[in-house]
């Protein structure tokens, strides 16, 4: 039984991974491979993170995944022009033959993750092959689609997980004993290595193993939704039938699950607290961030809990009024969904208490880094809402039932670095 809760026999088709000619930086044409990489586009804290990455190297991948210009059309045109120029100048070059790529991340403290990068057949959630666990925001999908159309490329792989039987993992481990195509250590301390698998027998072993499995989208829901949109826009068959992914066998390499925090623009902490008076228990914590997060973890064991920050202190919200939950949380979902912190945050606090639209960048930002969320709230006069992470088994159980979680409910990691290998459709 795979993560979708279906027997392998009932799946019409499994995961179909194909090799491609990876587009990679020429290490002799850039300062260093580390200096041209970036976290995934939605992890970069704008604008600080963008400017930091741009200054690291004039060819940093952030200039493609987060181009800066006055209008959306100018941004996509700029990215396309930049990619064409880098190809013409040899900054980026295609590998000589199609390959599947082994990608390894390690942190020097015992964490080791390996997966395989290839192009995966794009499938609808109803097929039960690639399963989302979160909803998406239409403006973000439109933005990513415009960028991919303009560049005719998949600029960064999304992260999928599956639970394999070890066949593919054995090929990956055997490959990782050889010298890598590239190896670099990024400023966060992670070491990244990449190998190409071009042997037909090894590729066939991986493909046949994956063909019996289904995958969960761990990171990249918007990019997968973009793949679906672009596939549907073209006559079939075509190059958009496949999209760039990293597949990790979590039976061999478990992922970490962390929270994604919210930054509420234009809502001072004092106003946020005044609005929840009598609806939640509120405790002021004049302690360091680590101690505040520990208090949040303890409170989360008993029910829904959140940390508000932005005024120099932390405020623990927990024990919501049961009557409030009963009248605001939709009753047509499983109990596990109704009790999620993200559900309560979006259905109760954002919609009914603070009246903040969840899909408006002018009102809310989704930030992975805890300290950065607090710092930005304090600087901008907004409210940081810090979340406790959801357990992986809860995510899998809801995906098994075909139930999507609220947007930006989880952060699986470590995430693949952007800039190590790209896919250009015409190459």
């Amino acid at each position: 039984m795979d993560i979708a809760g279906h027997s392998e026999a009932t799946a019409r088709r499994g995961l179909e991974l194909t090799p491609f000619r990876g587009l990679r930086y020429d290490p002799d044409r850039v300062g260093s491979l580390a200096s041209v990489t970036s976290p995934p586009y939605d992890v970069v804290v704008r604008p600080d993170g963008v400017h930091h990455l741009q200054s690291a190297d004039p060819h940093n991948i952030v200039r493609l995944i987060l181009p800066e210009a006055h209008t959306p059309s100018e941004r996509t045109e700029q990215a396309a022009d930049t990619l064409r120029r880098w190809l013409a100048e040899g900054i980026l070059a295609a590998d000589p033959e199609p390959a599947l790529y082994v990608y390894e991340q390690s942190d020097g403290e015992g964490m080791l993750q390996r997966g395989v990068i290839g192009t995966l057949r794009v499938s609808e959630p109803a097929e039960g092959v690639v399963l989302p666990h979160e909803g998406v925001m239409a403006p973000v999908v439109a933005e990513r689609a415009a960028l991919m159309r303009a560049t005719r490329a998949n600029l960064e792989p999304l992260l999928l997980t599956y639970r394999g039987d070890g066949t593919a993992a054995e090929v990956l481990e055997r490959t990782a004993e050889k010298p890598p195509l590239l190896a670099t250590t990024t400023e966060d301390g992670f070491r990244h290595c990449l190998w190409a698998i071009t042997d037909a027998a090894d590729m066939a072993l991986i493909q046949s193993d994956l063909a019996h499995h289904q995958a969960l989208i761990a990171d990249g829901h918007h990019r997968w939704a973009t793949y679906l949109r672009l596939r549907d826009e073209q006559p079939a068959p075509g190059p958009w039938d496949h999209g760039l992914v990293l597949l990790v066998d979590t039976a061999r390499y478990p992922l970490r699950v962390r929270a994604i925090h919210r930054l509420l623009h234009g809502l001072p902490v004092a106003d946020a607290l005044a609005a929840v008076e009598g609806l939640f228990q509120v405790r002021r914590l004049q302690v360091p961030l680590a101690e505040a997060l520990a208090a949040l973890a303890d409170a989360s064991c008993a029910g829904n809990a959140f940390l508000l920050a932005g005024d120099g202190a932390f405020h623990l919200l927990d024990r919501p009024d049961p009557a409030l939950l009963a009248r605001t949380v939709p009753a047509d979902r499983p109990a596990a969904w109704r009790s999620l912190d993200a559900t309560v945050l979006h259905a109760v606090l954002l919609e009914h208490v603070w009246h903040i639209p969840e899909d408006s960048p002018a009102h809310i930002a989704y930030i992975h880094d805890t300290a950065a969320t607090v710092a930005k709230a304090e600087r901008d006069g907004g409210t940081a809402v810090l979340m406790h992470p959801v357990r992986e088994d809860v995510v899998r159980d809801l995906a098994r039932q075909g139930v999507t979680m609220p947007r930006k409910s989880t952060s699986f990691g470590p995430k693949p670095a952007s800039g190590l290998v790209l896919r250009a459709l015409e190459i």
Side-chain angles (χ1 to χ4, degrees), residues 240-251:
W240 294 115
D241 290 344
H242 291 76
L244 188 64
V245 305
L246 166 65
L247 274 159
V248 174
D249 180 356
T250 52

Side-chain angles (χ1 to χ4, degrees), residues 19-23 93-99 101 421-424 426-427:
F20 69 107
R21 290 180 64 197
L23 199 61
D95 283 335
E97 57 184 318
Y101 294 86
V421 62
L422 295 65
R423 175 208 180 203
E426 269 73 46
I427 293 178

Side-chain angles (χ1 to χ4, degrees), residues 276 280 306 317 344-355:
V276 299
F280 283 74
F306 311 92
L317 273 60
V344 173
L345 172 63
H346 285 259
V348 180
L349 287 170
L350 293 181
E351 183 175 350
H352 289 278
V353 177
W354 294 327
H355 306 293

Side-chain angles (χ1 to χ4, degrees), residues 249-260:
D249 180 356
T250 52
R252 187 71 64 100
Y253 300 105
L255 296 181
R256 298 170 178 170
V257 187
R258 292 176 175 163
I260 302 175

Side-chain angles (χ1 to χ4, degrees), residues 40-45 219 258-262 366-373 408 410-412 415:
Y41 80 96
D42 58 339
V43 180
V44 178
V45 179
D219 185 70
R258 292 176 175 163
I260 302 175
H261 310 296
R262 276 66 169 162
Y366 298 85
I367 304 177
H368 295 71
D369 185 273
T370 309
T373 310
K408 300 294 185 181
T410 58
S411 174
F412 283 86
K415 304 179 189 305

Side-chain angles (χ1 to χ4, degrees), residues 314-371:
F314 296 98
H315 307 270
L316 180 63
L317 273 60
D318 64 352
R319 301 184 187 180
D321 177 10
L324 172 68
L325 299 181
R327 70 174 182 268
T328 55
V329 177
D332 60 345
R333 304 288 183 89
W337 182 91
R338 289 171 51 83
S339 63
L340 289 170
D341 286 339
T343 297
V344 173
L345 172 63
H346 285 259
V348 180
L349 287 170
L350 293 181
E351 183 175 350
H352 289 278
V353 177
W354 294 327
H355 306 293
I356 293 176
E358 64 178 14
D359 58 354
S360 170
H363 294 87
I364 185 169
Y366 298 85
I367 304 177
H368 295 71
D369 185 273
T370 309

